[in-house]
Amino acid sequence: MTAIKENSTLNANRENNKATCPVSYVMSKIGGHWKPVILYHLMSGPKRYSELKKLIPAITEKMLIQHLKQMQQDVLVIRKAENIVPPFVTYSLSFEGEELKPILDAMVEWAFARDFKA
Amino acid sequence: MTAIKENSTLNANRENNKATCPVSYVMSKIGGHWKPVILYHLMSGPKRYSELKKLIPAITEKMLIQHLKQMQQDVLVIRKAENIVPPFVTYSLSFEGEELKPILDAMVEWAFARDFKA
DNA sequence: ACAAGTACTTACCCCAAAGTATGTAAGATG
DNA sequence: CATCTTACATACTTTGGGGTAAGTACTTGT
């Protein structure tokens, strides 16, 4: 969510790619180190913030909420908070988030068809 | 192809993800700003280095060969050089590179099902 | 002799993404 | 009353991906 500087070729290239290449567009939504992992875990159903944290031990809390927030803005995930204390917040895939499944499934299939060993 | 420092949590996390999450594994192969674009152009058949350069004007030569080299190492693309001068080098998708099509196709479909406008 | 073309290579720099560390609200529980 | 829990927030630092710019080898065309 950090502010973005305007005048840099780097960012110009990025914006240009997102605008002209559908694949880059998708990458801008689900790329990076953590988004796919988070999405993967949400595929198996809604999860609490703390559950996600436990499922992905290596992620820091900062990264976790940062990406959850971004994906909320991109309407890939839905945040639902019970107004109680201690807080109870669940994250789930939106309709458009669910529609990412074919992509991720294709990726998983490809990975296992190669040298990937879980 | 720049050297990679060993002892950093950043890289440790990356390696860990690649090893444990199939989606991250795929991302490590085709992620980044340029790899998908290059692959996309190779989908329509083998291309010379200079052709790729013309097809992707925004890319710098450094990035182009860097990623072509990486994808060679990952056996996604095949490099074929005629031993003549001026050089004549063609890049094409390997079998495993071709098998990325379903993934990229799924991405394109998803992009157009959303607000993406070419 | 000099520019042009092709496929690179190399050195240097910059910045945004990711990591580290610490703090906060508000009620439940002992 | 002090600690625990949950779901964050935020300041500060690091790092590696990408950008810029320049050079190289070898031949052909003028």
Side-chain angles (χ1 to χ4, degrees), chain A residues 15-116:
Chain A
E15 292 305 318
N16 192 258
N17 274 328
K18 283 200 293 186
T20 59
C21 174
V23 177
S24 295
Y25 171 81
V26 174
M27 286 293 182
S28 75
K29 301 292 180 192
I30 68 168
H33 306 303
W34 298 116
K35 279 184 195 167
V37 188
I38 298 170
L39 285 168
Y40 173 78
H41 284 289
L42 288 178
M43 292 279 164
S44 58
K47 299 275 178 300
R48 291 186 66 177
Y49 174 85
S50 52
E51 282 181 292
L52 287 171
K53 183 76 225 304
K54 271 165 209 158
L55 287 167
I56 317 169
I59 201 173
T60 63
E61 300 203 20
K62 180 194 167 196
M63 285 295 106
L64 185 51
I65 23 110
Q66 188 177 110
H67 290 123
L68 284 170
K69 275 195 164 186
Q70 275 178 29
M71 296 173 115
Q72 262 182 87
Q73 283 189 11
D74 292 338
V75 202
L76 298 183
V77 307
I78 308 282
R79 196 188 99 115
K80 199 173 135 192
E82 318 273 339
N83 198 18
I84 55 171
V85 164
F88 193 99
V89 180
T90 43
Y91 291 89
S92 57
L93 291 177
S94 70
F95 175 73
E96 320 219 318
E98 292 279 357
E99 288 196 316
L100 288 168
K101 261 185 177 170
I103 300 176
L104 299 193
D105 284 345
M107 287 190 184
V108 173
E109 201 180 333
W110 188 83
F112 282 101
R114 281 175 58 106
D115 54 353
F116 181 79

Side-chain angles (χ1 to χ4, degrees), chain B residues 55-74:
Chain B
L55 287 167
I56 317 168
I59 202 174
T60 63
E61 301 203 18
K62 179 194 166 194
M63 285 296 105
L64 185 51
I65 24 109
Q66 188 176 109
H67 289 124
L68 284 171
K69 275 194 164 188
Q70 275 177 28
M71 296 172 114
Q72 264 182 86
Q73 283 190 11
D74 292 338

Side-chain angles (χ1 to χ4, degrees), chain B residues 12-26:
Chain B
N13 271 345
R14 250 167 232 196
E15 291 306 318
N16 190 259
N17 274 327
K18 283 201 289 186
T20 59
C21 175
V23 178
S24 295
Y25 171 81
V26 174

Side-chain angles (χ1 to χ4, degrees), chain B residues 2 5 8 10-11 14 32-34 60 62-63 67 85:
Chain B
T2 39
K5 285 194 180 171
S8 72
L10 204 159
N11 226 67
R14 250 167 232 196
H33 304 303
W34 298 116
T60 63
K62 179 194 166 194
M63 285 296 105
H67 289 124
V85 162

